[in-house]
Amino acid sequence: MTSLGTLEDLPQSYRDKLTELNLVPLWPNMRAVLPHKVPSRKTQTLNWHFNDLRPLLIEAGDLTPMEKAERRVLVLANPGHGLTNMQATPSIYMGLQLILPGETAPNHRHTPNAVRIIIEGEGATTIVDGEPCVMERGDLILTPSGKWHEHQHEGDGPIIWLDILDLPLIYQLEGSWAIEGKAQNQTLKRDKSFAEYSAAGVVPELGFQRENTDSPMLRYPWAKTRDCLVEMAKHYPNSPLRIAYVNPENGASLFPSIGFGAMMLRPNETLSLPKRTTACVFHIVEGQGALSVDTNNVIQWTEKDTLSAPGYTEIILWNESSTEPAFIITADEAPLHRYLGIF
């Protein structure tokens, strides 16, 4: 590899002239932004253990009332990107959100796309443009860019979910903003997307990408997804059990920026994922096991944990139970990489 000139090779007077005109020489930084063969990666392999985080989230409920928070969230920040940047991967934000009984997270809308994965609790509803979406464990609930949404909790005990947004991407594009709105008092009498699309929304993960519009299905019930994976296991005893969440009307990913999927690991099963360009996050719905990245970075996981792993790596997952399957929801930047032609 050719050794390029450094900034120190240039006379100070020349460097001062460049600075005055807001100029920077490329060649001293060429290898940093265009490394050979494999990109530089800031995403670290990490597990946010739910049992460690839950007490702090509950304490936040005591320390900060809803009217002082708007959204009571602890951000899952990957230290490789800097904690203040609120990134789990280059373009994915994640946070654990808490609502207590009787509370409402007020109505607003914003430019980033968002998905909620329900972790704990019952009796809460997300209202999206007037459509009530019941929040049950493992469900995916969509609040696409620009849609009004609020969260109401009329049950007992706290409800906790995982927020996944393309906020870092939209923020870096200088397009991130929100608008507050009035409470959505007039709502539909049913969960429309569940009633009309309750048997749709998941397909085998084929790696295709079609033209994307907002999915008409806002709630993807975990019970349906789990049943699909269990049924697949009966017919494909030797194949990986993975599905993709898609728009039921056109087969496109839920968002053009983030793709979502789910997988099932049979008892004692080890699964080596295809090596891919995109970083990935894993939310454990059921089970316990381990994840390794490039064979030398092994971390344990159990249900309700959330993990991250960088792209361009060999990722292996295994289920440590000899009797029970494990179920995992995934999120990655594959739709964005495909659109950009770098997948």
Side-chain angles (χ1 to χ4, degrees):
M1 185 184 303
T2 305
S3 178
L4 301 179
T6 68
L7 197 61
E8 289 71 25
D9 293 336
L10 301 172
Q12 185 62 52
S13 59
Y14 179 76
R15 291 151 59 185
D16 291 343
K17 291 176 183 177
L18 294 179
T19 301
E20 290 175 6
L21 296 174
N22 301 307
L23 298 173
V24 177
L26 172 61
W27 57 96
N29 301 301
M30 178 78 80
R31 298 290 182 249
V33 297
L34 288 173
H36 284 176
K37 296 184 179 179
V38 178
S40 58
R41 289 151 294 169
K42 296 180 180 179
T43 303
Q44 295 182 9
T45 304
L46 185 66
N47 185 357
W48 290 273
H49 295 279
F50 182 77
N51 288 339
D52 293 334
L53 307 184
R54 187 184 186 279
L56 294 172
L57 192 59
I58 297 299
E59 186 176 0
D62 296 329
L63 296 173
T64 307
M66 185 60 69
E67 58 268 21
K68 294 290 186 180
E70 186 171 345
R71 295 296 190 267
R72 191 189 292 114
V73 178
L74 294 182
V75 178
L76 308 186
N78 195 300
H81 295 282
L83 297 181
T84 58
N85 292 322
M86 299 192 292
Q87 294 170 264
T89 74
S91 65
I92 293 177
Y93 157 105
M94 295 196 299
L96 289 180
Q97 184 162 171
L98 167 71
I99 293 188
L100 299 174
E103 289 186 330
T104 294
N107 188 32
H108 71 188
R109 62 176 180 167
H110 45 64
T111 47
N113 294 288
V115 155
R116 328 291 174 180
I117 301 175
I118 316 308
I119 298 177
E120 174 186 308
E122 297 178 346
T125 303
T126 291
I127 301 174
V128 186
D129 276 359
E131 179 176 335
C133 297
V134 176
M135 307 176 81
E136 297 179 343
R137 186 176 173 195
D139 290 357
L140 259 72
I141 296 177
L142 278 58
T143 56
S145 174
K147 289 189 179 292
W148 294 105
H149 57 279
E150 62 186 88
H151 312 291
Q152 302 177 355
H153 186 18
E154 299 177 354
D156 298 323
I159 185 162
I160 299 172
W161 66 83
L162 177 67
D163 289 322
I164 300 181
L165 287 75
D166 55 10
L167 174 61
L169 172 65
I170 305 302
Y171 178 78
Q172 289 298 324
L173 293 173
E174 299 184 354
S176 181
W177 51 272
I179 300 175
E180 296 182 10
K182 298 179 180 180
Q184 299 182 63
N185 295 321
Q186 299 297 320
T187 65
L188 299 173
K189 299 301 182 183
R190 68 193 191 286
D191 181 336
K192 178 177 180 289
S193 60
F194 178 78
E196 298 181 4
Y197 294 95
S198 60
V202 293
V203 297
E205 188 175 44
L206 303 177
F208 60 81
Q209 172 75 354
R210 301 180 185 174
E211 183 181 356
N212 198 345
T213 57
D214 285 346
S215 173
M217 184 171 171
L218 298 175
R219 176 179 175 237
Y220 290 70
W222 172 247
K224 295 286 184 179
T225 304
R226 191 185 193 281
D227 287 348
C228 177
L229 289 164
V230 171
E231 187 67 21
M232 286 175 62
K234 298 176 184 178
H235 299 281
Y236 303 98
N238 301 312
S239 300
L241 302 173
R242 302 181 63 192
I243 58 174
Y245 290 93
V246 299
N247 181 325
E249 291 190 342
N250 61 14
S253 66
L254 301 184
F255 301 139
S257 50
I258 308 177
F260 293 88
M263 65 178 70
M264 170 181 161
L265 298 178
R266 305 170 181 88
N268 288 327
E269 183 176 13
T270 297
L271 177 62
S272 180
L273 301 181
K275 195 172 183 178
R276 304 191 303 169
T277 59
T278 173
C280 191
V281 296
F282 306 87
H283 178 70
I284 313 303
V285 183
E286 299 178 38
Q288 61 183 20
L291 174 147
S292 72
V293 175
D294 285 343
T295 71
N296 57 6
N297 193 344
V298 179
I299 53 179
Q300 302 295 125
W301 47 260
T302 190
E303 66 176 38
K304 301 182 181 180
D305 287 353
T306 303
L307 301 86
S308 64
Y312 292 85
T313 56
E314 299 285 351
I315 299 175
I316 299 175
L317 293 156
W318 60 91
N319 180 3
E320 294 182 339
S321 172
S322 59
T323 58
E324 300 296 329
F327 295 89
I328 303 172
I329 294 175
T330 64
D332 62 30
E333 297 150 336
L336 180 61
H337 282 218
R338 288 191 179 99
Y339 179 78
L340 295 173
I342 63 172
F343 184 75

